[in-house]
Amino acid sequence: MKRILSTSLVAALAMAGSGLTPRGGPSDYPAHANAGQLTVAAAAISADQAKKILGAGIDQAGYLVFEVALYPEPGSEITVSLGDFTLSLGADGSSMRAAEPDVVAAAVVPYPAIHLPEAPGKVHVSTETDIGYASGGYGRQGGVYTTQGVAVSNYPDQSPQPPPNTASKDLTRDQIERSLAAKQLPTGRITHSVAGYLYFPKPSGHSRKDGFHLSWFGETAQARMTVPPAK
């Protein structure tokens, strides 16, 4: 029993990740902004860099990667969550929240739709997973969502045949998720400098050459900055 608990704990810690080593200071990033007792700094990561670092085509799956660092003042404690960060592009006002690694991994390697056999005169039965974005208002509302739908009939149960290469795709998806989670920006109670990646759905708006508007909405303070595109 002790061995099982220890293994589970190690797995959980591995998924949580430790992020990246912060750069020397906020000025070492292309953009930074003060928010009370915290300074937020950020840099855009190019599609090619993201693929090399994370081992997956994040950009082709509809996501952007940013390196974000947090520098709290000595002796201060800041509570940070993924929902505190939003990204917008252009002047249309729409913003996207940072996505969880499992959502991004599922976009890179989508879950297959499973369709049960359809009998004449009977209701078709199927299950599928949908990943999308619900636009929201100020701060923490809106964001990426996943849904699953199931239609059920009175026809006798028939077990569907899994699509080919399902096991291989599941393994690849899990590997991508672990890689994303290991390098993700640490969250929770922050008492020292931390850094890591954040993954955002691509926002609509002007060309990327105009830069990205990255915001952090804390409990008592806010930080907004324009992050130039990756070189």
Side-chain angles (χ1 to χ4, degrees), residues 55-131:
I58 306 298
D59 187 85
Q60 294 178 347
Y63 285 83
L64 301 173
V65 182
F66 289 81
E67 180 182 346
V68 177
L70 307 176
Y71 296 88
E73 292 184 358
S76 63
E77 180 178 289
I78 309 295
T79 300
V80 177
S81 69
L82 288 184
D84 296 339
F85 295 91
T86 64
L87 182 75
S88 62
L89 177 66
D92 61 357
S94 63
S95 61
M96 318 295 282
R97 286 195 307 178
E100 295 283 357
D102 61 331
V103 175
V104 182
V108 178
V109 184
Y111 287 96
I114 302 176
H115 299 282
L116 295 175
E118 185 174 7
K122 299 296 182 179
V123 178
H124 180 65
V125 181
S126 66
T127 63
E128 62 180 6
T129 301
D130 178 49
I131 301 174

Side-chain angles (χ1 to χ4, degrees), residues 49-56 58 65 176 179-180 183 197 199:
Q49 288 176 316
K51 190 171 184 178
K52 291 178 181 179
I53 295 170
L54 302 169
I58 306 298
V65 182
I176 293 173
S179 177
L180 296 174
K183 298 178 177 66
Y197 295 127
Y199 318 105

